[in-house]
Amino acid sequence: MQRRFSFTRLFSYSFSALAAGTVVAMFVLLILQSLPVWQHEGLSFLTGTKWFYRQQQFGAAPMILGTMITAFTALLLAAPLGIGAAIFTSEFLHPRLRLTVKVVIELLAGVPSVIYGLLGVLFLRNWIYDLLTPFDPLSGDTLLTGAVLLAVMILPTVMTLADDALRGVPVIQRHAARGLGLNSSEVALHIALPQSVRGLLAALLLALGRALGEAIAVFLVVGRQDNQWPYRLLSMQPLIQSGQTITTKLASSETNIAYGYPLHWAAICGLALVLMVMVAGITLISASFSRRHVP
Amino acid sequence: MTDPILQVSHLTIEAGSRTLLRDISLVIAPHEVFTIIGASGSGKSTLLKSLNRLVDLTSSLKVSGQVSFRGSPIYAPGVDADALRARIGILFQQPVVFPGSIAQNVIFGVKHLGQTRKQDWPEIAERALREASLWDEVKDRLQQPAILLSVGQQQRLCLARALATQPEVILMDEPTSALDPKSTEAIEDLIVRLKVKHTLVLVTHNLRQAQRLADTLAFVGGRDGAGQVLAIGNPDDVLSNRDQPELAAFLVTD
């Protein structure tokens, strides 16, 4: 039988293709724009620890490390809090109160990141400095400060998506377990959590994606110190010193300076490409988790 | 006469300004099949769920009056509703299997209630599956996902899961409405056998089933906008009762 023509289908396909095409075009553009730096540095663009643009030396490793440290530490801090809060709202709060809390949390997710950055400058830097006093820090502008600020910023994302995942577990499953004599905590632990694992992972990965891509708030508190490669990688040292992430580098005035110099510009585009690959990878993995989350 | 296992006195359940059930009073004796019939929306399921306080899970419902289990009021302050539900199990209209194997499903309640030792779980599972007449069909595939069972088998698995915690009363909310005739017959045969050890409260709108299984039959009908027990007693007496217009209308239409 011949398929009937549908405007809805036509528009859906067209706009999906447009969205996919835009992403592909961005990747192609960044690859082309960054080609000179790949030819100049090869793989040491990713592994090199020195970035001196006047000497045409472009090693992005400290920024990649800074990005990973801030984003993953933020996730580590936000995950238990966000999931814990989601368990509380979804399993224990009265439905009406739950909605109120959810609206407030979602409002927090909409606060512009520069505001979080300003609050970070105002309070967090000093708190972190005081906290790190035993380690004799140079200032309160550290990767840890950026990570804590990011954790606060991604907390609403983790919480609201985790809450959705937990509420996705059918009510009848909860009632069946309660009918056996389990209390609400046991139902949360043995029914809701195991059945929403995929949704929870998707929530964490989406939050990680946001943390990786966040620029301005981290910019204000991270210290923006180039070439900070720790002596001991597996220690507290990288966390408690100033650093640079890919996004803070891209948001700095160096980007404007680079525009006039092809190799320097290529290095900046190379950083953007690395960031895009990281965020796209995380987003794709989280999307695959979300799709399989069928209660 | 033996003491009732469940006694409902002047039970009224409201949802906001709407009264779902009004002034329900009934007595359920041990080891009987107490059957509730009535039209859709008359409040049969709500009444059933009030017997083990499962109505507590719907925050909009307000319960007044009392239900006593073995002489103790279950809506009294300080009563542990979770412990009560372990003694008064429930089987829903649709089978609700948990993700996991058949064995995991059967021991789900006993495992998480923590009242038995781990080494006893296989024995408990076998006993419950035998009681639910499912053992012979699943004994060689206990580790397979429960979701692979037929709907009828899933319903018996849910019954086995409830039986594993050794409840004194089993509430059944139209347990055969989603099943084919063969599975329905299997569940009905089970109900007859289970009453030797347990008390069963069955909600159904299948009159043939009610007539076959019920020791006591109650008709819940809507009157003045709320569900009320309009006839109760011996099944033959209730089904031949023409004094209540709601019951007469139900018997004609069903």
Side-chain angles (χ1 to χ4, degrees), chain A residues 94-95 172-184 186 190-191 195, chain B residues 54 57 59 82 85-86 88-90 92 96-99 108 112-113 161-162:
Chain A
H94 187 281
I172 190 73
Q173 289 271 331
R174 288 180 171 79
H175 283 196
R178 294 298 300 269
L180 289 168
L182 274 72
N183 61 32
S184 46
E186 288 164 338
H190 303 300
I191 294 288
Q195 292 193 41
Chain B
L54 212 58
L57 307 187
S59 55
D82 300 314
R85 288 187 207 112
I88 305 179
I90 187 162
F92 295 95
V96 187
V97 295
F98 299 139
F108 187 90
H112 296 305
L113 292 174
R161 190 174 62 201

Side-chain angles (χ1 to χ4, degrees), chain A:
Chain A
M1 208 174 104
Q2 205 176 357
R3 223 175 182 187
R4 218 155 47 91
F5 177 77
S6 155
F7 271 112
T8 311
R9 195 181 303 122
L10 176 73
F11 279 113
S12 302
Y13 281 124
S14 306
F15 285 112
S16 301
L18 187 68
T22 308
V23 174
V24 172
M26 282 165 75
F27 269 104
V28 171
L29 181 75
L30 288 175
I31 290 168
L32 291 176
Q33 293 278 306
S34 64
L35 262 183
V37 82
W38 297 107
Q39 285 161 347
H40 183 263
E41 292 283 347
L43 269 184
S44 51
F45 178 67
L46 298 175
T47 56
T49 57
K50 299 294 173 204
W51 180 288
F52 295 110
Y53 67 87
R54 289 185 208 284
Q55 281 83 40
Q56 303 210 325
Q57 196 177 358
F58 299 104
M63 286 168 272
I64 297 172
L65 181 70
T67 304
M68 305 273 269
I69 285 177
T70 48
F72 280 97
T73 308
L75 190 67
L76 211 64
L77 296 171
L81 274 175
I83 293 178
I87 291 172
F88 176 69
T89 54
S90 69
E91 305 299 315
F92 298 101
L93 267 193
H94 187 281
R96 209 174 294 162
L97 197 56
R98 172 184 165 256
L99 275 181
T100 313
V101 171
K102 221 169 138 57
V103 168
V104 173
I105 296 288
E106 280 165 10
L107 278 177
L108 280 177
V111 172
S113 50
V114 68
I115 305 289
Y116 281 108
L118 290 176
L119 291 174
V121 172
L122 198 58
F123 302 111
L124 197 60
R125 279 196 317 179
N126 297 334
W127 290 342
I128 296 285
Y129 183 77
D130 292 343
L131 186 77
L132 295 179
T133 305
F135 299 98
D136 198 20
L138 290 173
S139 76
D141 290 329
T142 64
L143 288 180
L144 180 63
T145 319
V148 173
L149 193 61
L150 273 180
V152 174
M153 292 177 68
I154 64 172
L155 193 59
T157 309
V158 174
M159 204 217 116
T160 192
L161 293 177
D163 178 86
D164 290 343
L166 287 163
R167 293 311 303 174
V169 176
V171 173
I172 190 73
Q173 289 271 331
R174 288 180 171 79
H175 283 196
R178 294 298 300 269
L180 289 168
L182 274 72
N183 61 32
S184 46
S185 306
E186 288 164 338
V187 168
L189 192 65
H190 303 300
I191 294 288
L193 269 179
Q195 292 193 41
S196 56
V197 161
R198 282 186 179 283
L200 295 177
L201 278 174
L204 294 182
L205 288 172
L206 280 171
L208 180 63
R210 184 176 177 201
L212 286 170
E214 177 49 46
I216 197 67
V218 187
F219 183 90
L220 291 170
V221 297
V222 85
R224 285 175 284 137
Q225 184 76 46
D226 275 333
N227 303 315
Q228 285 282 58
W229 190 256
Y231 294 113
R232 279 174 298 149
L233 203 56
L234 297 173
S235 67
M236 279 285 285
Q237 194 214 340
L239 258 181
I240 62 173
Q241 66 185 14
S242 297
Q244 186 82 278
T245 68
I246 294 177
T247 51
T248 57
K249 185 70 167 175
L250 291 176
S252 71
S253 55
E254 196 182 315
T255 301
N256 300 81
I257 297 168
Y259 190 62
Y261 303 92
L263 186 59
H264 193 186
W265 177 250
I268 293 291
C269 288
L271 283 178
L273 181 65
V274 171
L275 183 66
M276 278 280 283
V277 169
M278 287 163 82
V279 174
I282 296 291
T283 308
L284 283 177
I285 297 170
S286 83
S288 75
F289 276 125
S290 309
R291 262 198 297 278
R292 284 185 214 164
H293 175 64
V294 181

